[in-house]
Amino acid sequence: MSEPKPPTPTGGDTYKGWLFKWTNYIKGYQRRWFVLSNGLLSYYRTQAEMGHTCRGTINLATANIAVEDSCNFVISNGGAQTYHLKANSEVERQRWITALELAKAKAVHMQAESDDSGDECPAVPPTPGQGGGRNSEVQSTLRTLNSKVEDLNTCNDLIVKHGSALQRSLSELEGIRAGGDMGEKVRQVTERATLFRITSNAMINACRDFLSLAQSHSKRWQKALQVERDQRIRLEETLEQLAKQHNHLERAFRGATVLPPSFSNPSLGGASGKGDASDEDDENEFFDAMEDPAEFITVPADPKYHRRSGSNVSGLSNETGMDDQSVNFDELSLASNPESPQPLELEPVRQRRTRIPDKPNYYLNLWSIMKNCIGKELSKIPMPVNFNEPLSMLQRLSEDLEYYELLDKGAKCQSSLEQMCYVAAFTVSSYSTTVHRTGKPFNPLLGETFELDRLKDCGYRSLCEQVSHHPPAAAHHAMSEKGWSLRQEITLASKFRGKYLSIMPLGSIQCIFEKSNNHYSWKKVTTTVHNIIVGKLWIDQSGEIDVVNHKTGDRCHLKFAPYSYFSRDVPRKVTGVVTDKDGKAHYVLSGTWDEKMEFSRIMQSSKGENGTEGKQRTVYQTLKAKEIWKKNPLPEGAENMYFFSTLALTLNEPEEGVAPTDSRRRPDQRLMEDGRWDEANAEKQRLEEKQRTNRREREREAVKAASSPEEGAHQDNHQALWFEKLDDPVSGETLHVYKGGYWETKDSGSWDLCPDIF
């Protein structure tokens, strides 16, 4: 056997070489290829195995390194793994010991730093935009430099240790006379001097790495400092110009004898001097830019735009195509709207429930059911209620109205572009309830309905009906006293892929405002449920949405970024840009679909540098961002109630006077909510079998009515009771539209037309 090569130090923290590893009493020590990298020591039979087969790995962060004799040493992590290793010489053994101790010190430091970051990160939220990116870059650089300092400290300790041993050997060498012990002492001194030299070389290499890092980052910090100085100089010059203009306006005001009529217009807040001052202060605030999305970057607008927005409102409105009263982001235009309805009289609001029975803890072997579902359409697979939540898909659709106030505010907007911002925020808000909702809603039975009557307390009414069974499709219609209506027809296509479940909503959602006759439409993004088999279930939303105003041509492009472990962006991030029919951008929206959304007015746009994919990104200069939507907090104890929101807790609450086909009357869903899951499973099977029997009966009737058996085969002549299928002339889509009659039937109490589905 040829003599093993000495270990090879490579770039970074990797160390490779041959060592002899004890296997058993029959084979003894066997030659193995060891690789030390990132605090892990791995070994292979040959170098060729590195690409595909690792024979074993030990984590040095929790390992103990012990030296047995001149060539042997032991690495153990507390009994689970123990490697008895032997080097070819004492010098080679010491090279490995030095490398292992350095790697262990670094691994322990990184583990402690990771534990600390878990406690410290929530207390200090990152600054959005460029400030947050620069702060994270500085923190990353400091962590790297601290790691190198730890390496230097470890090398220093080793130098002190081996230096002391070398000094003792030299002292002993001086104290003895020439004789038999002289050769042994000289050999010890030579070995310890070699160890001292190896450790010193490691110290020199660590110093060189530290110096190189410090020099490279020093240049970048100097450049960043120079940029900050230039920005400060520009700000000082701008402030000086503003002071001169302010002084000039004061002199002009004192010399004026008659005020122009525009200054006395109370709708613009010009009647109060204090109001003008406070508005100007608000307009002159700056904000940090958002983190860079893939398509665009936002930066604070130039101060001249802030000044113009405070002193020449009408001129700025004409440039951006907006009405005067919708320039500000606050509720000025909404509060001053003369058509706002005034409360006539106070009526007692019904007290609705705030709790449901806690979710039982029933064990279920998930894989025994899901292994037969891979690649199949989920709506066609019989599933026990253990996977469900006690709500139907119709009730989940009605949950989209939880933040109906956004549409109320949108109905009062004078500008279609500002109205688009509220509609876009409403589309994002409908996903906020899904972040922890891993339970599957009940598939509605054909003809099943659900009403949500909130006319007295919220000003709207909503009705859903299951209009098709294969494919499953639900129609939804909502109408508000505040001047808007919402309609949608959603068909869910779902596929189980083994590790995750994809849910693709098909169909569109439309929102119509009566006063302006603005007609909006959009589609939903894909929902993905991860860790179906192993791990904790979690939900992600990903894709893109185009909200289109068919009357004006305005458009809002929303992007739901998929979650990535390696991304520097905040999780569940949503960004959007509102453009007019000519493609000119007017607003930027940003936030997350599970917390809040903000919007900001664009004052100027320009082309920036190329992004990571080679596309040229647009730089938007914006006014201060303002919050447009924020998620309501979950009720107390929501984790034991399927993570239902306050609205979701009331959806299945029994009510008098609802249709006999209403989801509240569904027996298996009611049994599940009460915690009687075995009875719910039996009732669910009965209802599904009854539905299949009714379908076969309808198919037989269709065959009888058809001119030939082939024409009537597999036809379902079911007709929706409260909806009819129409072609929408505005959007060009075909969907089920509410044809009326439900609420009148409820008032009369005559439900003779409703089928017996339960």
Side-chain angles (χ1 to χ4, degrees), residues 256 258-265:
V258 180
L259 286 176
S262 60
F263 280 88
S264 60
N265 187 354

Side-chain angles (χ1 to χ4, degrees), residues 103 116-117 184 237 372 553 569 594 681 741:
D116 294 341
S117 64
E184 179 64 23
E237 292 173 352
N372 298 320
D569 286 334
D594 66 323
N681 278 318

Side-chain angles (χ1 to χ4, degrees), residues 232-244:
R232 188 193 67 182
I233 293 174
R234 285 196 295 269
L235 284 175
E236 289 175 352
E237 292 173 352
T238 303
L239 288 174
E240 184 178 357
Q241 293 177 2
L242 287 175
K244 292 179 180 178

Side-chain angles (χ1 to χ4, degrees), residues 614-669:
K615 298 180 180 179
Q616 194 173 27
R617 294 183 295 188
T618 304
V619 179
Y620 294 126
Q621 294 184 8
T622 63
L623 294 180
K624 178 176 175 146
K626 293 205 173 184
E627 187 176 270
I628 189 172
W629 164 76
K630 185 176 182 179
K631 180 186 176 183
N632 297 327
L634 291 176
E636 184 179 357
E639 65 277 3
N640 299 321
M641 299 183 293
Y642 309 90
F643 287 97
F644 281 178
S645 64
T646 303
L647 174 64
L649 289 174
T650 67
L651 294 180
N652 207 43
E653 184 177 8
E655 290 189 16
E656 296 293 334
V658 298
T661 55
D662 196 273
S663 299
R664 300 176 181 88
R665 300 183 182 272
R666 182 165 174 165
D668 54 348
Q669 188 172 299

Side-chain angles (χ1 to χ4, degrees), residues 570-607:
V570 294
R572 309 180 184 96
K573 184 176 181 179
V574 181
T575 55
V577 179
V578 176
T579 57
D580 58 21
K581 62 179 180 179
D582 299 323
K584 181 181 178 181
H586 291 270
Y587 290 94
V588 168
L589 294 97
S590 64
T592 58
W593 53 263
D594 66 323
E595 286 187 4
K596 65 177 182 178
M597 290 293 293
E598 295 178 339
F599 71 148
S600 49
R601 173 86 168 279
I602 297 174
M603 308 313 301
Q604 188 175 352
S605 62
S606 60
K607 294 297 182 182

